[in-house]
Amino acid sequence: MAKPIMVQGTTSNAGKSFLAAALCRIFRQDGHTVAPFKSQNMALNSFITGEGLEMGRAQVMQAEAAGIAPSVKMNPILLKPTNDTGSQVIVGGEVRGTMSARDYFAMKKTLIPDILAAYNSLSADHEILVLEGAGSPAEINLKSDDIVNMGMAKLAKAPVLLCADIDRGGVFASLYGTVALLDPDERAMVKGLIINNFRGDKTILDPGVKMLEDLTGIPVVGVVPHMTVDLDDEDSLTARFGRSGKKAPLDIAVVRLPRISNFTDFNALERLDAVSLRYIASPAELGSPDAVILPGTKNTMDDLRWLRQSGMEAKILQFADRGGLVFGICGGYQMLGQEISDPDGTEQKGTVAGMGLLPVRTVFQQEKRRTRVEGSFLHLEGILKDLSGVPFTGYEIHMGKSVLQDGGMPLAEISEEGVHGKERSGDSAH
């Protein structure tokens, strides 16, 4: 069985995913077979494996660092928030149901067999497993039923490295306070502290490092310098949303929907020198872009209502009336259609009118579709004509179907699992 090591953090966004990926790459370069593992992930940015199963993107990135193909065994539980108090629960890559936070908290320990089955399967095939925690292990109101931080470390008998981001401020208090709130047996599992994202002269930091070691009795095993890296974000706790966009010939505005999901799809645009990509959350920020993108969302109907109530819909429609280019991805595509209907209460029962920019009608369904696809664009005209015949690959994650209405023209020909057809249907990032 594999030897485990675990990275936990004092907060969300402390750098756990980055450090776990770094360990995966280091162990691989040292000649070991290594795999990442996170028992429970909460993220709206997800990935579809070759088997058509859904998992968190951080473990996909870590698998790449380890030089292996991603597997849902690396992330057996994925929570996708649907609102402020509930989430869709995905176990082993497939939807188990949608639950309130209280209901999930009451049942999550029943998922330990699923967690251990995935962990043990990975452990049998690798020399080292690099585990990642979630949030903080010092959430004292949640510790009794923990399955992702110290609870998982105990199941795996994994030594723990505890990291904190010095760029946030209060790094010594954060590390000391977290250690102090751990139970004695948990504290004994923490074998090293890591100060992440350091800028400046380390000799100025050294006295504080020595005092922290004296206070906690745990060595500071690393001070990781600040590095400019471009990694996929797991959720909306990202610096991308605060960037104003660089000066570039093309200005693209992505609407920051309240339940925005899989916005990692747009990271490739950020890397193009000719493109300035910016996220906007109010009509006043729209300006006069070259294109507007409505992204995916975990709650299409609620986010469409937000578009209306905020005045963003009216601004986008005015932009389109002037000949502006509007793209819809996943739930954003559905919003651009004529109507969205939810007869079974997948999100919330009822029907809502779309923005009316596309001849498409969407009906939500209970069963979730997850697959990878490939295809090519058909003959296009106007500003998109250069895409004619261009091949593409992609994926679908949705719980419904968007159907082209009479008078609409297909956009592309796609194939999936041997089924070919001309499509202009969209999907929702559910």
Side-chain angles (χ1 to χ4, degrees):
M1 302 295 283
K3 293 182 178 180
I5 185 169
M6 189 170 198
V7 179
Q8 297 184 20
T10 58
T11 62
S12 296
N13 254 24
K16 297 184 290 291
S17 297
F18 169 71
L19 293 174
L23 288 175
C24 285
R25 178 54 60 92
I26 290 168
F27 289 137
R28 180 202 175 196
Q29 289 175 335
D30 287 347
H32 299 286
T33 59
V34 57
F37 182 85
K38 185 169 183 175
S39 58
Q40 174 191 286
N41 209 337
M42 177 176 281
L44 285 177
N45 293 336
S46 60
F47 178 87
I48 299 299
T49 68
E51 300 85 3
L53 301 173
E54 193 171 2
M55 63 182 290
R57 298 191 73 88
Q59 283 61 62
V60 176
M61 177 267 293
Q62 292 160 1
E64 184 176 1
I68 58 178
S71 165
V72 291
K73 295 176 184 177
M74 301 169 185
N75 176 212
I77 302 173
L78 175 62
L79 304 178
K80 302 185 76 173
T82 55
N83 52 47
D84 291 340
T85 60
S87 295
Q88 185 179 77
V89 180
I90 297 168
V91 181
E94 298 183 339
V95 176
R96 185 68 62 90
T98 298
M99 303 180 188
S100 69
R102 183 173 296 277
D103 288 344
Y104 177 72
F105 185 79
M107 65 78 66
K108 66 179 180 178
K109 274 200 168 182
T110 66
L111 299 177
I112 288 177
D114 298 276
I115 292 171
L116 288 178
Y119 178 86
N120 290 334
S121 178
L122 282 178
S123 183
D125 293 334
H126 298 86
E127 297 174 87
I128 300 172
L129 293 188
V130 179
L131 284 64
E132 180 186 342
S136 165
E139 305 291 352
I140 54 178
N141 59 317
L142 304 175
K143 282 175 59 175
S144 61
D145 291 293
D146 174 59
I147 58 173
V148 66
N149 286 305
M150 284 300 177
M152 185 64 225
K154 291 176 182 179
L155 289 173
K157 297 180 173 58
V160 174
L161 300 176
L162 180 66
C163 70
D165 183 354
I166 194 172
D167 209 39
R168 292 168 171 259
V171 69
F172 296 118
S174 183
L175 286 166
Y176 177 78
T178 299
V179 170
L181 287 173
L182 297 176
D183 296 334
D185 61 329
E186 296 171 335
R187 203 173 303 136
M189 301 180 73
V190 180
K191 304 303 182 183
L193 307 177
I194 298 175
I195 295 175
N196 190 32
N197 209 16
F198 178 73
R199 311 169 194 244
D201 186 344
K202 182 179 173 297
T203 60
I204 300 174
L205 185 71
D206 286 341
V209 168
K210 178 64 169 60
M211 286 186 276
L212 180 64
E213 290 178 331
D214 292 341
L215 286 167
T216 62
I218 302 171
V220 175
V221 296
V223 176
V224 180
H226 170 79
M227 285 178 272
T228 301
V229 293
D230 189 3
L231 302 177
D232 279 356
D233 302 283
E234 287 191 278
D235 51 39
S236 58
L237 290 176
T238 173
R240 295 180 193 276
F241 291 165
R243 297 173 187 167
S244 59
K246 61 182 182 289
K247 290 184 178 180
L250 290 177
D251 175 28
I252 299 177
V254 180
V255 179
R256 184 181 170 183
L257 299 170
R259 294 293 168 189
I260 187 172
S261 64
N262 280 36
F263 58 86
T264 48
D265 291 345
F266 311 123
N267 291 0
L269 293 173
E270 283 189 338
R271 299 186 180 105
L272 298 176
D273 292 337
V275 173
S276 171
L277 188 79
R278 54 192 175 90
Y279 291 86
I280 61 171
S282 71
E285 297 176 275
L286 181 62
S288 300
D290 294 287
V292 171
I293 298 177
L294 281 175
T297 166
K298 192 64 188 70
N299 198 319
T300 305
M301 297 173 80
D302 265 0
D303 280 3
L304 178 54
R305 292 187 180 96
W306 173 84
L307 277 180
R308 291 189 173 134
Q309 294 167 358
S310 67
M312 186 74 80
E313 180 190 39
K315 292 286 286 188
I316 294 173
L317 291 176
Q318 292 169 10
F319 173 77
D321 285 342
R322 297 194 300 269
L325 191 60
V326 181
F327 290 95
I329 309 294
C330 293
Y333 178 93
Q334 295 175 333
M335 294 180 190
L336 296 180
Q338 305 294 321
E339 182 182 87
I340 301 171
S341 179
D342 185 9
D344 299 322
T346 300
E347 285 188 359
Q348 50 196 269
K349 281 191 174 184
T351 298
V352 61
M355 297 173 65
L357 292 178
L358 290 176
V360 171
R361 182 176 181 270
T362 297
V363 179
F364 290 153
Q365 299 167 336
Q366 291 287 343
E367 185 177 353
K368 190 168 194 173
R369 178 174 170 82
R370 309 170 310 269
T371 188
R372 303 189 69 84
V373 299
E374 60 183 21
S376 60
F377 289 102
L378 300 172
H379 177 73
L380 305 178
E381 297 179 351
I383 195 170
L384 299 178
K385 65 181 181 180
D386 288 341
L387 288 175
S388 297
V390 173
F392 59 82
T393 60
Y395 60 92
E396 294 184 35
I397 313 173
H398 58 97
M399 299 182 76
K401 187 172 182 62
S402 297
V403 179
L404 190 66
Q405 302 300 290
D406 291 341
M409 296 296 294
L411 177 68
E413 186 169 27
I414 65 172
S415 63
E416 176 267 324
E417 297 176 355
V419 179
H420 300 265
K422 294 181 179 179
E423 296 286 343
R424 199 172 180 174
S425 63
D427 55 71
S428 175
H430 282 82

